[in-house]
């Protein structure tokens, strides 16, 4: 009997059962399973039960048939839990006969938990695997909780060994991979129950199984006597159910960024400096499993047709992943850790990012609805400064935030957070930042905060600033305040509007009031190096006036940057208007 779970686009799932060995699927009314959608061909695909296996074959459909995100070119065996995509529909197929057959096979492979252990002669030292490209190995279940496959091993896996390894028993990576595969085999016996278990129950079951596997292998002499079995079990569980060696790095409060350059090269950033770690994955296939576990709960995907993705972890940490063929040396992951507690003004002053006078000035700017652009290079701390400025917005105001991957931490109550969406498996349904900016204008915002302008949305943002949404904030990548203006010009041109350069510059000069430029210094510290007022136009040139600067004077004995923040003595033009409105102002902060 075939049991098919059908997920319609934008609808609820339903289940259909068939007492037959062949099911034709399509939108035609004469099909056994009718999927009424234009993206589904009249006779799209067929499911066949053959020798206890469920096989799916495409019937020459226009959009193709995908299994776990990959288009099939020939008939393919479908396991319980595999995701089959036909147009806008997703299916999961279960077969009682196939389940019983796979359970029997898994039982023969899994480690016996209740039989006496027999001594085996010591195994020969495994030969070094041949070098070659590592192919992704997809998990059995698309649940995002248990990774690995039981019947495939990545060819040419060249992941290095860990410091826990032993020459007598092979590398630690090989041992970790072996235990991991045995765990997947054993957990496959309970495959039908995995999706019904909570995370804690699943981890408890996996812990008991791993403990049994490791004990069995130790009694057989397959684990070196000096190796920590506790550490081995923890590493296996982290790789199977968590984020592998990244778990410890994510828990380390001193680590601000994690970079995975393949299975055996993991780097971190501490105090603004990069350093290598001794952490490693058991294989590149394990890295693929981690990526899929991150993106699956967010409804995103990564495969050959979509080899890069932006996502976030449960704690809000931002993740970027990219895989071959774009990443030549294997899958790469970059994680910017999310701070649970936002840096306060006092923290940033203590770190030397800015001084008290600059804080007072920026507070006046935000409270009096000056439009601000925060510029800087990658990793310079733009988002942290954006969080700082947003903290000065009054509680009574309605704020709409727009980001690619949500990482802003606003403390106000009246906040609507919007996040862009990538295209679906057919390349449709993408919602970009520009779409969200346009929509935000219809949401009656007092403030619009765009996490980063990087394309045509810059034009919509400038128009919003010029049409009554004063006090809006955004960031952009640039090397200086002047470069930030050039970047804005380029981004406006990316909108597709054929505008004269002078018209674009007039829009920018009218919309942007303040530019806050931040840099990462040679010692890894972040500092606001310029606070600039946009004063208008002279001919075809936008004019700027420095208000605060950071003056670097050298380095101390520990290699730390030494310098001072100083006002230029220039009082911003908009202070004249504030004086007329009787706004209390501290002019002394501008005295050089």
């Amino acid at each position: 009997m075939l049991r098919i779970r059908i997920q319609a686009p934008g609808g609820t799932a339903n289940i259909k059962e068939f007492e037959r060995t062949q099911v034709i699927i399509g939108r035609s009314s004469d099909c056994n399973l009718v999927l009424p959608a234009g993206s589904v061909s009249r006779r799209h695909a067929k499911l066949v039960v053959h020798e206890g296996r469920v096989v799916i074959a495409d019937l020459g459909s226009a959009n193709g048939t995908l299994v776990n995100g990959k288009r099939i070119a020939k008939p393919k065996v479908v396991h319980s839990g595999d995701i089959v995509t036909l147009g806008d529909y997703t299916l999961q197929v279960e077969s009682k006969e196939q389940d019983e057959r796979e359970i029997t096979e898994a039982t023969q492979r899994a480690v016996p938990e209740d039989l006496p252990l027999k001594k085996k002669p010591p195994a020969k030292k495994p030969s070094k695997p041949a070098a070659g490209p590592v192919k992704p190995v997809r998990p059995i279940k698309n649940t995002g909780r248990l990774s690995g496959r039981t019947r495939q091993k990545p060819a040419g896996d060249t992941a290095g060994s860990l410091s826990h390894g032993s020459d007598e028993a092979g590398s630690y990576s090989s041992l970790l991979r072996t235990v991991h595969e045995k765990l997947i085999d054993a957990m496959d016996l309970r495959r039908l129950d995995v999706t019904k278990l909570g995370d804690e129950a699943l981890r408890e079951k996996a812990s008991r199984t791993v403990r049994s596997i490791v004990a069995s292998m130790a009694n057989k002499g397959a684990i070196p006597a000096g190796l920590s079995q506790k550490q081995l079990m923890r590493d296996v569980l982290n790789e199977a159910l968590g984020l592998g060696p990244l778990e410890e790095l994510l828990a380390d409060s001193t680590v601000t960024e994690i970079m995975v350059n393949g299975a055996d090269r993991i780097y971190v950033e501490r105090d603004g400096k990069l350093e290598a770690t001794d952490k490693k994955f058991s294989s590149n296939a394990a890295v693929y499993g981690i990526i899929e576990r991150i993106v699956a709960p967010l409804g995103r995907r990564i495969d050959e047709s979509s080899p890069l993705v932006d996502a976030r972890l449960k704690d809000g940490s931002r993740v970027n992943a990219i895989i071959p063929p774009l990443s030549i040396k294997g899958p790469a992951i970059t994680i910017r850790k999310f701070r649970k507690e936002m840096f306060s003004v006092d923290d940033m002053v203590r770190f030397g990012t800015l001084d008290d006078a600059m804080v007072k000035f920026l507070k006046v700017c935000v409270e009096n609805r000056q439009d601000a652009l925060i510029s800087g290079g990658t990793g310079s701390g733009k988002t942290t400064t954006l969080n700082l400025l947003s903290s000065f917005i009054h509680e009574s105001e309605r704020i709409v935030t727009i980001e690619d991957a949500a990482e802003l931490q606003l403390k106000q109550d009246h906040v609507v957070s919007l996040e862009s969406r990538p295209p679906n498996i057919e390349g449709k349904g993408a919602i970009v930042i520009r779409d969200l900016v346009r929509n935000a204008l219809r949401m009656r915002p007092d403030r619009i905060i765009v996490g980063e302008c990087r394309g045509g949305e810059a034009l919509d943002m400038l128009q919003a600033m010029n049409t009554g949404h004063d006090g809006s904030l955004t960031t952009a990548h640039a090397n200086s305040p002047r470069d930030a203006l050039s970047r804005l010009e380029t981004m406006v041109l990316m909108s597709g509007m054929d505008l004269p350069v002078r018209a674009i510059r007039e829009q920018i000069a009218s919309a942007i009031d303040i530019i806050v430029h931040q840099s990462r210094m040679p010692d890894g510290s972040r500092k606001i190096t310029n606070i600039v007022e946009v004063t208008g136009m002279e001919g075809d040139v936008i004019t700027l006036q420095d208000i605060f600067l950071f003056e670097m004077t050298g380095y101390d004995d520990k290699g730390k940057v030494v310098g001072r923040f100083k006002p230029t003595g220039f009082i911003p033009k908009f202070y004249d208007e504030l004086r007329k409105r009787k706004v209390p102002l501290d002019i002394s902060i501008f005295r050089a």
Side-chain angles (χ1 to χ4, degrees), residues 262-314:
D264 58 348
R265 294 181 300 278
I266 301 178
Y267 295 81
V268 298
E269 181 187 70
R270 284 189 176 94
D271 298 324
K273 296 293 186 68
L274 298 181
E275 60 183 65
T277 72
D278 62 352
K279 305 293 183 184
K280 302 179 192 293
F281 287 90
S282 63
S283 65
N284 277 332
V287 184
Y288 280 99
I290 297 302
I291 295 173
E292 288 189 339
R293 189 175 300 121
I294 291 171
V295 304
L298 301 177
R300 303 190 178 187
R301 63 190 177 90
I302 188 164
D303 51 40
E304 290 179 3
S305 63
S306 181
L308 52 88
V309 67
D310 285 312
R312 64 180 183 275
L313 302 180
K314 291 180 179 179

Side-chain angles (χ1 to χ4, degrees), residues 136-174:
V137 182
R138 301 189 66 87
I140 286 178
K141 292 288 290 181
N142 192 23
T143 61
R145 295 194 291 171
L146 186 65
S147 77
R149 281 186 74 90
T150 61
R151 301 161 192 82
Q152 298 182 19
K153 296 181 182 180
D157 187 357
T158 58
S161 61
L162 291 177
S163 57
H164 307 287
S166 167
D167 291 337
E168 295 180 2
S171 71
Y172 185 80
S173 295
S174 298

Side-chain angles (χ1 to χ4, degrees), residues 92-288:
Q92 284 182 287
V93 184
E94 294 180 4
S95 164
K96 181 179 178 181
E97 293 79 6
Q98 177 166 290
D99 288 344
E100 290 175 349
R101 176 172 179 161
E102 292 187 358
I103 287 174
T104 300
E105 292 175 353
T107 303
Q108 295 170 353
R109 290 190 304 270
V111 177
E113 299 185 10
D114 53 355
L115 297 177
L117 299 171
K118 297 180 180 179
K119 293 288 184 179
K120 289 186 178 181
K124 294 182 180 179
K125 183 176 179 179
S127 58
K128 185 177 180 180
V134 179
K135 297 182 179 180
V137 182
R138 301 189 66 87
I140 286 178
K141 292 288 290 181
N142 192 23
T143 61
R145 295 194 291 171
L146 186 65
S147 77
R149 281 186 74 90
T150 61
R151 301 161 192 82
Q152 298 182 19
K153 296 181 182 180
D157 187 357
T158 58
S161 61
L162 291 177
S163 57
H164 307 287
S166 167
D167 291 337
E168 295 180 2
S171 71
Y172 185 80
S173 295
S174 298
L175 182 60
L176 180 63
R177 186 162 55 249
T178 299
V179 179
H180 188 185
E181 290 171 354
K182 289 181 179 293
L183 171 64
I184 298 300
D185 279 341
M187 291 299 291
D188 194 36
L189 294 172
R190 308 173 181 88
R191 174 162 31 86
L192 298 178
D193 296 327
V194 165
T195 56
K196 299 177 183 178
L197 296 174
D199 289 341
E200 292 184 7
L202 179 61
R203 193 170 186 91
E204 178 59 30
K205 280 182 175 291
S207 297
R208 290 199 302 267
T209 306
V210 156
R211 198 176 303 118
S212 175
I213 292 170
V214 171
S216 173
M217 293 178 67
N219 287 338
K220 295 176 182 179
I223 297 179
L227 183 69
S228 170
Q229 295 183 21
K230 186 176 181 181
Q231 179 67 39
L232 175 62
M233 289 187 286
R234 182 162 57 246
D235 289 345
V236 170
L237 287 173
N238 282 341
E239 190 160 284
L241 302 176
L243 299 182
L246 305 185
E247 291 281 356
E248 294 183 29
L249 300 177
L250 288 168
D252 187 342
S253 60
T254 66
V255 173
T256 54
E257 201 146 355
I258 302 169
M259 290 141 279
V260 179
N261 302 346
D264 58 348
R265 294 181 300 278
I266 301 178
Y267 295 81
V268 298
E269 181 187 70
R270 284 189 176 94
D271 298 324
K273 296 293 186 68
L274 298 181
E275 60 183 65
T277 72
D278 62 352
K279 305 293 183 184
K280 302 179 192 293
F281 287 90
S282 63
S283 65
N284 277 332
V287 184
Y288 280 99

Side-chain angles (χ1 to χ4, degrees), residues 248-547:
E248 294 183 29
L249 300 177
L250 288 168
D252 187 342
S253 60
T254 66
V255 173
T256 54
E257 201 146 355
I258 302 169
M259 290 141 279
V260 179
N261 302 346
D264 58 348
R265 294 181 300 278
I266 301 178
Y267 295 81
V268 298
E269 181 187 70
R270 284 189 176 94
D271 298 324
K273 296 293 186 68
L274 298 181
E275 60 183 65
T277 72
D278 62 352
K279 305 293 183 184
K280 302 179 192 293
F281 287 90
S282 63
S283 65
N284 277 332
V287 184
Y288 280 99
I290 297 302
I291 295 173
E292 288 189 339
R293 189 175 300 121
I294 291 171
V295 304
L298 301 177
R300 303 190 178 187
R301 63 190 177 90
I302 188 164
D303 51 40
E304 290 179 3
S305 63
S306 181
L308 52 88
V309 67
D310 285 312
R312 64 180 183 275
L313 302 180
K314 291 180 179 179
D315 67 354
S317 297
R318 190 174 71 185
V319 181
N320 173 268
I322 184 167
I323 64 173
L326 301 187
S327 177
I328 297 174
K329 294 184 179 180
I333 307 173
T334 307
I335 301 175
R336 179 165 295 178
K337 287 178 61 177
F338 182 83
R339 281 188 58 85
K340 294 181 180 179
E341 293 296 328
M342 186 177 68
F343 285 128
S344 67
V345 172
D346 292 338
D347 290 331
M348 295 187 69
V349 170
R350 188 175 73 254
F351 296 153
T353 303
L354 73 174
D355 66 3
D356 289 324
M358 297 163 76
V359 170
K360 290 178 181 178
F361 174 69
L362 292 175
K363 190 171 187 290
V364 169
C365 290
V366 175
E367 289 179 344
N368 291 278
R369 307 183 68 82
Q370 298 296 294
D371 294 309
L373 170 67
I374 302 168
S375 63
T378 301
S380 60
K382 298 186 297 296
T383 302
T384 301
T385 299
L386 183 58
N387 273 317
L388 171 68
L389 296 189
S390 69
S391 69
F392 298 140
I393 299 175
H394 196 271
E395 284 281 352
S396 63
E397 297 187 68
R398 176 174 169 82
I399 307 168
V400 178
T401 69
I402 302 169
E403 301 174 84
D404 266 334
E407 50 182 338
L408 290 174
Q409 304 176 66
L410 273 65
K411 301 301 183 183
Q412 293 86 345
D413 289 330
H414 201 170
V415 177
V416 179
S417 300
L418 307 180
E419 187 177 53
S420 64
R421 185 179 72 184
N424 63 15
I425 202 166
E426 295 180 347
K428 302 176 182 178
I431 303 295
V432 298
I433 293 289
R434 188 172 188 188
D435 299 325
L436 296 178
V437 172
R438 290 172 175 172
N439 188 77
L441 298 177
R442 304 184 183 98
M443 298 175 67
R444 198 264 176 221
D446 290 309
R447 311 265 188 158
I448 298 175
I449 301 178
V450 177
E452 181 182 345
C453 277
R454 58 166 69 100
E457 66 272 5
L459 176 60
D460 301 285
M461 188 70 184
L462 292 175
Q463 290 177 336
M465 291 174 171
N466 276 324
T467 54
H469 297 89
D470 295 332
S472 296
L473 308 170
T474 189
T475 73
H477 280 80
N479 293 324
S480 69
R482 178 63 63 182
D483 286 345
L485 298 179
S486 298
R487 281 269 295 150
L488 281 177
E489 287 182 32
T490 303
M491 288 187 283
V492 169
L493 293 172
M494 290 169 65
S495 68
M497 300 292 290
D498 187 15
L499 297 173
V501 172
R502 180 175 176 83
I504 296 173
R505 292 177 181 173
E506 287 176 347
Q507 281 267 358
I508 294 171
S510 176
I512 303 294
D513 298 308
I514 298 294
I515 299 176
V516 179
H517 185 75
Q518 190 154 339
S519 299
R520 181 164 64 174
M521 310 305 287
D523 63 350
S525 62
R526 278 83 167 175
K527 296 188 184 298
I528 293 177
T529 55
N530 304 78
I531 297 180
V532 178
E533 183 182 30
V534 179
T535 55
M537 295 274 294
E538 287 187 3
D540 290 337
V541 179
I542 300 174
T543 55
L544 303 177
Q545 178 62 55
D546 287 320
I547 300 173

Side-chain angles (χ1 to χ4, degrees), residues 35-49:
L35 303 179
S39 59
V40 178
S41 298
R42 291 180 57 81
R43 291 171 63 85
H44 197 112
K46 68 177 178 180
L47 287 167
V48 179
V49 179

